[in-house]
Amino acid sequence: KDAGRKTQLIVMEERTEISSLGEFGLIDHLTANNETHNASTIVSVGDDGAVIDHFGKQTVISTDMLIEGIHFDLSYTPLKHLGYKSVVVNLSDIYAMNAIPTQIVINIAFSNRFSLEALTEFYEGVYAACRHYQVDLVGGDTSSSRKGFIISITALGEVAPTTYVKRDGAKLNDLICVSGDLGAAFLGLTILEREKKIFEDTGAQPDLENQAYIVGKLLKPEARKEIIEQLAELKVKPTSMIDISDGLSSETLHLCRQSDKGAEIYEDKIPIDPQTYDRAREFGLDPTVCALSGGEDYELLFTIAQSDYEKIRSTMDISIIGHITDKNSSVNLVDKSGNSIKMIAQGWDALLKS
Ligand code: ADP
Ligand code: MG
């Protein structure tokens, strides 16, 4: 085999049938070392329901479902990463409300293709995310499925009364900000899909050397906790906010539609990592299109009043990419030559076909 193709696809060594434990044995096994990190967690796993006291704060709830073959491909997704990511995508929604996540509940359904070792590995990722973000796993449900792996996670968070941020609050002339950089996760997917094809055709193991950043953005994304913390420290309350799961175009259109406004986004201000840029070029893709339509970046897109500009100006990981216009203007991208192009939401499917 090609010596350069080092990274092994997932190998399962031991295999314990779930049926040897039963449902309750499985739940006990998966939650045996479950720790809590929040005073608000009064009753955790083990009863008919969890009890949470948010001590006068408001509660934010968000839920997400992940289906094998639709949202993830286990031929190149390690189960531990999948566990981590399943939690992160939910926490990202809580942060996007300007809230702090505190608890999750997790529902899983799996076919008999999945062993105890596989589910244990998945839970290692779940617990790693719980530790990293200091959230408590307080319950769930376990079921079987005819085919594949289904994950549904609900996250709860807390926020001081009326400090939550919705999608509909953008005001005329507000600055449009985005955290981190965009487009990397889509290229990570493109690389993994290419390697999967090579593996299926030739049996060659994937060559993921020097792709760690991009592939990592897809397989092990992080939710932008520090951005929410920084904004709180700087006493900046965004006027509207959304997390970027479907690409910058789609999310900008959401904010503008719900705020009843237009927007002007400047192509040369969109943050794209040099590695994303180079890989996109290699694949013959336009890096800007990857940022606009790629998705799964889990960065935060938000608007702030112009008067808050000085406060966030020197914040390293936030880029100002445009401003809000009135509702009669559309949502436009001003390209590098100064042409204004009406933005449309494409999403991954369209991009993969282009
Ligand atoms: P019930 O029959 O009342 O729905 P279960 O037997 O399904 O209760 O669950 C027992 C306890 O284990 C509950 O606290 C539930 O939230 C928790 N639980 C069940 N499945 C999971 C799971 N996959 N991960 C974490 N906790 C779970
Ligand atoms: Mg149950």
Side-chain angles (χ1 to χ4, degrees):
K1 267 179 203 155
D2 183 344
R5 300 185 168 269
K6 286 197 194 88
T7 317
Q8 290 290 314
L9 288 180
I10 310 150
V11 181
M12 291 287 164
E13 280 145 14
E14 279 174 72
R15 180 175 172 97
T16 309
E17 295 302 330
I18 304 291
S19 54
S20 70
L21 282 103
E23 182 187 339
F24 300 125
L26 172 67
I27 296 169
D28 282 349
H29 174 86
L30 294 178
T31 58
N33 300 314
N34 189 21
E35 289 171 13
T36 57
H37 312 279
N38 294 282
S40 54
T41 304
I42 312 291
V43 176
S44 181
V45 171
D47 218 301
D48 293 317
V51 179
I52 293 161
D53 188 340
H54 274 154
F55 308 109
K57 297 213 171 154
Q58 290 176 339
T59 303
V60 176
I61 302 185
S62 178
T63 192
D64 258 307
M65 216 160 154
L66 293 163
I67 311 231
E68 184 179 354
I70 307 280
H71 301 100
F72 57 89
D73 183 332
L74 284 177
S75 63
Y76 53 69
T77 310
L79 280 160
K80 188 172 174 182
H81 287 57
L82 181 64
Y84 195 90
K85 181 171 178 173
S86 306
V87 176
V88 163
V89 302
N90 274 275
L91 303 186
S92 178
D93 282 320
I94 302 288
Y95 289 121
M97 296 298 292
N98 201 33
I100 302 297
T102 46
Q103 285 87 14
I104 57 165
V105 293
I106 171 163
N107 303 317
I108 50 174
F110 45 85
S111 66
N112 57 14
R113 201 177 101 228
F114 291 82
S115 65
L116 179 65
E117 287 74 19
L119 294 179
T120 303
E121 206 184 312
F122 174 79
Y123 265 72
E124 276 170 23
V126 168
Y127 286 123
C130 286
R131 272 192 305 279
H132 185 79
Y133 293 95
Q134 293 284 295
V135 300
D136 301 335
L137 170 68
V138 297
D141 198 20
T142 308
S143 181
S144 50
S145 84
R146 281 290 185 81
K147 197 165 165 277
F149 192 23
I150 300 167
I151 306 151
S152 164
I153 297 188
T154 300
L156 286 90
E158 58 177 39
V159 64
T162 69
T163 53
Y164 60 83
V165 172
K166 294 175 64 194
R167 296 176 175 180
D168 65 2
K171 303 281 180 299
L172 183 64
N173 298 328
D174 277 357
L175 301 173
I176 303 173
C177 308
V178 65
S179 65
D181 58 84
L182 304 177
F186 173 73
L187 281 152
L189 177 76
T190 309
I191 290 167
L192 290 173
E193 290 284 347
R194 177 183 69 177
E195 293 299 329
K196 182 185 176 184
K197 181 110 198 2
I198 294 173
F199 178 76
E200 283 169 354
D201 293 351
T202 69
Q205 292 290 325
D207 176 11
L208 300 177
E209 232 167 319
N210 307 321
Q211 319 279 22
Y213 177 70
I214 288 168
V215 170
K217 282 287 257 186
L218 178 80
L219 293 183
K220 191 175 177 286
E222 299 290 354
R224 299 313 308 271
K225 175 188 207 285
E226 328 79 70
I227 299 292
I228 297 306
E229 289 169 349
Q230 271 176 7
L231 290 172
E233 269 164 39
L234 296 167
K235 298 197 162 42
V236 173
K237 185 186 167 193
T239 51
S240 68
M241 183 153 53
I242 189 168
D243 73 328
I244 304 186
S245 49
D246 297 330
L248 180 61
S249 310
S250 159
E251 315 303 359
T252 307
L253 288 163
H254 277 304
L255 281 191
C256 289
R257 195 185 58 240
Q258 287 182 238
S259 298
D260 203 14
K261 293 283 180 292
E264 205 102 291
I265 303 275
Y266 295 88
E267 182 182 12
D268 61 352
K269 303 283 186 209
I270 298 174
I272 296 175
D273 187 90
Q275 299 183 56
T276 306
Y277 195 91
D278 292 346
R279 282 299 95 71
R281 286 287 179 228
E282 229 179 85
F283 281 105
L285 295 165
D286 179 345
T288 302
V289 174
C290 295
L292 289 173
S293 306
E296 289 235 75
D297 293 306
Y298 300 106
E299 295 294 343
L300 294 167
L301 175 69
F302 56 96
T303 54
I304 59 166
Q306 295 232 356
S307 55
D308 280 332
Y309 172 68
E310 284 301 325
K311 292 194 214 160
I312 72 138
R313 197 164 63 106
S314 54
T315 308
M316 269 171 32
D317 217 14
I318 297 177
S319 310
I320 298 170
I321 59 167
H323 60 270
I324 296 292
T325 57
D326 69 51
K327 70 170 174 186
N328 300 317
S329 328
S330 45
V331 178
N332 299 318
L333 180 76
V334 181
D335 75 8
K336 287 171 183 159
S337 341
N339 304 314
S340 193
I341 308 156
K342 192 170 173 180
M343 233 153 58
I344 48 157
Q346 272 206 319
W348 287 34
D349 293 347
L351 192 59
L352 287 168
K353 278 180 216 119
S354 72

